[in-house]
Each structure stands twice: as C-alpha cells, then as structure tokens.
Amino acid sequence: MIKDSIDEIKNDLRSKRDALMMAHQKLNEDSNSWNQAIIALSLTTGLIESIKMKLELNTAGWALVPIILSSITAACSSLIKFRNFSQRQEILIQASANLTSVLNKARNHKSLDDELLTEYNLALEKLETSIYPTERKVFLKHSHRNLLEILKQETKYFNLINLANAGEVIELSDDSSLSSEEQLDETTHPKKEPLPIIQEVQTEEELGNTL
C-alpha cells in the first residue's frame, strides 16, 4: 500500500515499531525460559551429588543420574547458542530504534517531504531484514489489533472528558471505580455513624482544680 500522507507514514511506523518490540519480547521470554531450565538442571545435579555423598549412595543407578542431568544441561546450552537469542535480539533492538527515530521526525513534520520519505524507506528496509516474513506477518497482525484497541480506548476517554466538561453524569464501566450514581453496598462499606459530641461545662473552680 502506497503511503502518500504524513499521517499514514506515522501510523505505519507505529505499527511496525510495535511489531518489532513484540518480536523482541517473545525472543526474550524464550531465552529466559531456556536459561531458567539450565539453572534448574544445574541445581538439581548439585543437589543429587550432595545427597549421594551424605547418604553414601554408590550404586550404578545413582551414579548415572548426575551424568544424565549434566548431558541434558549441556544439550540445552548448545541449543541456546544455536538459536542465537542475543544476536537476534540486538538486531531487533537496532531496527526498532531506527523506526522510533524516523517516527519522531515524522511527528515533527507537518507534511511529507523527500528527506522523510527516504528515511522511511530505509527504516522499512531495516525492518524487512531483521525478521522473517512469516514472523513479521504474525507480529504485525497483533500490533495492528493492539493499536486499534488503544485508539478505541483513547476515543472513549476523550468522549468521557467532553461529557464531564459539559456537566453530565459519567458512568464508568470499569469495575474498580464507582460512578456518581452508584451506591455503596452497606455490607461491604458500612456507613459510619457520627461520633457523639460530649459537651462538658466546667466552672472556674472546677477548671482551677483540674489545673
């Protein structure tokens, strides 16, 4: 789709930038899962070794358990290096930073010029070389849906502001807040009775005795 206006450029940059950030988040979660598995296997291996020493378990079965766990740990470490999480995350960070920079410049422009269009095309090239097409399709779909939800929520928010400025009653749909017409439940929010005011009249002699 050809982008021939500044607003279309900004919306496209936002969606693609968010898609890259979602891809980076997914890679980070996968990397953390693998690292946590390696830590758990290493701690389990050390625990079994300690139990063997304390209980003097020298049978063949107990001797094989640490070897098996160590082999699984080494295999997981090799898979992490093979999947190259760190380098892929760095590429996504650089591409996302490039898109963010172009987006900031687009926000400061009132119209589309040749310089901005050139930087926009370079940012798209950086995006297309940083993530596979199948993954880009998935994350762009999520990004578009997320931006539409944000736009819908912002529109609702500004409409409520206009109603409040007009002096109309606002009914909030959020369960965590109460509208002006909602009444507190007396079972969960009992009414507080006013404390009785005790008035004591003291004479000058009584006041002198108390002092």
Side-chain angles (χ1 to χ4, degrees):
M1 180 179 177
I2 299 176
K3 312 295 189 303
D4 53 2
S5 68
I6 191 67
D7 291 332
E8 291 178 351
I9 293 291
K10 289 189 289 186
N11 291 330
D12 190 52
L13 287 171
R14 285 180 62 190
S15 63
K16 288 179 168 58
R17 190 270 312 271
D18 291 352
L20 285 180
M21 295 179 68
M22 290 179 179
H24 179 271
Q25 181 182 7
K26 182 64 169 59
L27 276 179
N28 189 47
E29 291 175 354
D30 292 343
S31 177
N32 290 337
S33 299
W34 281 98
N35 289 324
Q36 289 171 4
I38 290 175
I39 293 173
L41 288 171
S42 300
L43 293 175
T44 303
T45 303
L47 177 62
I48 292 177
E49 289 288 353
S50 300
I51 293 174
K52 284 176 57 182
M53 292 177 60
K54 292 294 184 180
L55 300 180
E56 297 181 355
L57 301 174
N58 298 322
T59 59
W62 281 102
L64 286 175
V65 173
I67 297 175
I68 295 173
L69 292 177
S70 299
S71 300
I72 296 174
T73 304
C76 291
S77 300
S78 300
L79 286 173
I80 288 179
K81 294 180 180 179
F82 178 75
R83 298 192 65 178
N84 205 4
F85 286 111
S86 299
Q87 184 177 359
R88 292 167 64 189
Q89 287 176 333
E90 183 64 25
I91 293 174
L92 290 175
I93 289 174
Q94 293 177 359
S96 177
N98 192 10
L99 286 171
T100 302
S101 177
V102 179
L103 177 59
N104 290 333
K105 292 181 180 180
R107 286 170 174 169
N108 295 325
H109 280 66
K110 295 182 179 180
S111 61
L112 185 61
D113 54 16
D114 293 337
E115 180 183 358
L116 181 60
L117 187 60
T118 301
E119 294 187 5
Y120 168 73
N121 292 330
L122 291 175
L124 290 185
E125 181 182 357
K126 188 73 173 178
L127 163 70
E128 292 168 355
T129 57
S130 63
I131 189 172
Y132 292 113
T134 53
E135 294 179 347
R136 186 166 71 247
K137 178 185 69 174
V138 173
F139 289 114
L140 276 175
K141 182 178 179 180
H142 289 295
S143 175
H144 292 160
R145 184 183 304 169
N146 184 64
L147 286 175
L148 288 175
E149 290 294 332
I150 292 175
L151 182 60
K152 178 181 178 181
Q153 186 63 32
E154 286 181 350
T155 303
K156 181 179 178 181
Y157 169 70
F158 287 112
N159 289 336
L160 290 176
I161 289 180
N162 293 331
L163 290 176
N165 292 332
E168 299 184 15
V169 177
I170 300 175
E171 294 184 0
L172 301 177
S173 60
D174 188 2
D175 295 334
S176 61
S177 59
L178 295 175
S179 65
S180 59
E181 294 183 350
E182 290 176 339
Q183 301 294 331
L184 293 175
D185 187 2
E186 294 185 2
T187 59
T188 57
H189 302 284
K191 294 183 179 179
K192 294 183 179 180
E193 297 294 336
L195 295 175
I197 301 176
I198 303 175
Q199 297 180 350
E200 296 182 357
V201 180
Q202 293 182 334
T203 64
E204 294 182 358
E205 295 181 355
E206 291 176 348
L207 183 59
N209 292 332
T210 56
L211 296 176

